[in-house]
Every structure is written in structure tokens, then in C-alpha cells.
Amino acid sequence: MNASLLEVRDVAKSYGAVTALKRASFSVRSGEVVALAGDNGAGKSTLIKILSGSISADSGEVRFAGEPVSIGSPNDAARLGIQTVYQDLALCDNLDVVDNIFLGREPRGPWWRGFRVRRPRMERLTADALASVGIRIQRVDVPMGHLSGGQRQCVAVCRAILGDPKVVILDEPTAALGVAQRREVLDLIVRLRDQGRGVILISHDLVDILKVADRIVVLRLGETVADKPGAEWTEHTLVSAITGATAGEQR
Ligand SMILES: Nc1ncnc2c1ncn2[C@@H]1O[C@H](COP(=O)(O)OP(=O)(O)OP(=O)(O)O)[C@@H](O)[C@H]1O
Ligand SMILES: [Mg+2]
């Protein structure tokens, strides 16, 4: 049986008097899409921030490939092979696709050539990276601001997978996208899984979640309240788990 790649056990986190997480647990395997569902304030983003190294947990355990790890910074997360695509994407609209994908880590030539950025190499690597996940963007030298929402999301994902991470975390990747663009991003998620990566998907869109998730974990008030294979959920049972409605209240 395929063991967990990344595992979170009983993680807790408070912001002053606010308890954001109290007993959050879940895991993801390679080649698996796990959706984190939960209402506003359930603790999803807090959990992701802990896994991406931007905040630290008060207690609990995170294991990577079976070993306990401490993720103290985004660099620690990257070293382990965990990459996060945040909702705001953090793309630069005035730069082109290639520059956005390499932002801050451009390959450079040797000192005797003045450490010049190796643009042809960047273009080649960009084309390879886009092709590896089946993204079609006609030209990679157009400013980011000219691309559609779905294409922007795909470029952000492409940037995240450049270092070949084992786990990709996507925070609301389909929010604010049209029908066709949403499809594109969902297809991309499936391809990341088929490449053997573990994918953690945060979304408020239950239809999307039900479409692509192999497993759905529900957080409520900072606690994991359900964790089941995607096929065992319906929109109805998912809404009940998210809101905490008991069987008697369901209609
Ligand atoms: N920096 C912070 N300072 C104080 N409280 C915070 C902070 N960040 C989050 N919280 C609180 O922690 C709880 C969990 O928030 P979190 O952002 O993790 O929820 P979420 O599940 O991502 O919600 P949403 O679906 O709205 O994005 C909320 O009650 C929130 O108000
Ligand atoms: Mg959030």
C-alpha cells in the first residue's frame, strides 16, 4: 500500500484568543488529490500556512515520507518538496510568462559573460514545463496581464512545479474562473496527480471537489470532522459535514 507522503497529526494553532486549529489531521499520498473542505474560518488557510512554512503550529506533528519534520520557513518546505500556489498567485503583470515562471531564480551564465540571464534556456525550460502538464499558451513572451484567468492560474502552477515538488498545495485555484477555464485547471490538477505528485486542493466549490478529489477531508472549527474517499461523498453529505448539520436536520 502506498504510504503517506505528507501527514498532519493533531495540529493546533491559536492567534491570541482565537483558536484557528485544534485537532487537525490529514494526509496525502503520492498520486492522490486530497481536498480540504470547510466553511469560512474553518482553519484551511491556517493549516496550509503551517505546511508551507509561513507560520508555525503550537502543537501537533507533521511528517514527511514517514519522518517527523519541522517546517520553519518557505525554504524548508521547498527543500522537502512542498510547493504552494496561493490564491492571489503573486504574478507580475508587466513581465512575460517566462520571467514570471523564473522570477528570482533565473539561470545565469558564467562570470566571464557578466552573469547574463540565460534567456534561451529559460524559454526552453518554460516550454518543457508547460508541455509536461499539457498547458497550451501560444506565446510565452507576452505580458502576464494579457492572459486569461485560467492561463494565469496555470502559469502559477507551472512556476510551482519547476523544482519538481512531491506535494503541490492549491488554495482556491478555480475561484473566479469561467466554466472553460475551470475545466482547464481541473484537468491540470488531474495531470499533477498522474505525474505522481500529492495534491492538496482547497476549494469552496463542492462540485469541483467532488469531480477531482480522491479523498475529501472536512474541517470544522479547526477540527477534522470527516475524511473519506471522494466517491463516498455527495454534495448533500458534504454540505452537512461542513455545516455540522446532524442527520435529523438533513432534508
Ligand atoms: N493572523 C490572524 N490573526 C488572528 N486570527 C486569525 C488570523 N488568521 C486567521 N485567523 C482566524 O483563524 C480562524 C481560521 O482562519 P482561516 O483563515 O484558517 O480559515 P479558512 O478555513 O481558510 O477560511 P476561508 O474559507 O474564509 O478562507 C478564523 O477564525 C480566523 O479569523
Ligand atoms: Mg482561507
Side-chain angles (χ1 to χ4, degrees):
M1 192 66 210
N2 186 352
S4 292
L5 192 55
L6 180 63
E7 191 177 358
V8 171
R9 284 190 196 166
D10 294 329
V11 161
K13 172 75 185 176
S14 295
Y15 296 102
V18 180
T19 304
L21 293 173
K22 48 186 173 191
R23 255 189 308 274
S25 301
F26 83 100
S27 64
V28 63
R29 300 185 173 121
S30 46
E32 183 182 48
V33 179
V34 173
L36 284 184
D39 236 334
N40 297 118
K44 305 179 296 294
S45 293
T46 303
L47 189 50
I48 285 335
K49 284 178 192 156
I50 289 170
L51 294 177
S52 59
S54 46
I55 59 173
S56 52
D58 297 337
S59 62
E61 194 176 46
V62 178
R63 285 172 171 261
F64 193 86
E67 299 292 320
V69 289
S70 111
I71 306 174
S73 69
N75 273 340
D76 286 352
R79 257 194 305 275
L80 286 170
I82 303 171
Q83 283 288 348
T84 304
V85 180
Y86 293 99
Q87 188 172 359
D88 66 10
L89 303 183
L91 297 166
C92 300
D93 282 345
N94 54 327
L95 298 181
D96 71 11
V97 174
V98 175
D99 287 331
N100 267 284
I101 285 185
F102 282 92
L103 211 62
R105 48 181 181 177
E106 296 83 359
R108 291 186 180 269
W111 62 268
W112 63 86
R113 296 222 181 96
F115 299 114
R116 249 203 322 252
V117 166
R118 303 178 65 188
R119 177 74 193 195
R121 180 175 163 77
M122 284 163 64
E123 287 181 3
R124 210 170 50 245
L125 289 171
T126 298
D128 289 351
L130 290 168
S132 81
V133 282
I135 299 170
R136 286 179 311 275
I137 292 175
Q138 287 192 356
R139 295 186 54 180
V140 290
D141 57 352
V142 293
M144 207 60 221
H146 292 183
L147 299 188
S148 74
Q151 288 175 325
R152 293 167 63 81
Q153 186 71 49
C154 289
V155 169
V157 170
C158 216
R159 179 171 66 185
I161 62 168
L162 205 61
D164 200 19
K166 297 190 172 71
V167 175
V168 180
I169 302 174
L170 302 163
D171 198 355
E172 293 283 351
T174 56
L177 294 185
V179 179
Q181 304 193 338
R182 231 161 78 183
R183 255 220 83 82
E184 251 172 62
V185 173
L186 293 180
D187 287 348
L188 174 55
I189 290 172
V190 169
R191 263 175 262 130
L192 294 177
R193 171 186 61 197
D194 293 346
Q195 290 177 334
R197 303 181 208 278
V199 181
I200 301 172
L201 167 67
I202 297 179
S203 176
H204 281 284
D205 193 308
L206 305 186
V207 175
D208 281 357
I209 286 183
L210 287 164
K211 248 185 233 159
V212 295
D214 299 305
R215 210 145 42 76
I216 302 176
V217 175
V218 178
L219 281 182
R220 193 163 69 229
L221 302 173
E223 251 180 292
T224 302
V225 293
D227 181 344
K228 287 195 289 188
E232 290 179 23
W233 290 97
T234 63
E235 217 174 317
H236 182 80
T237 56
L238 202 44
V239 168
S240 302
I242 289 169
T243 59
T246 62
E249 291 164 341
Q250 291 178 6
R251 300 201 191 276

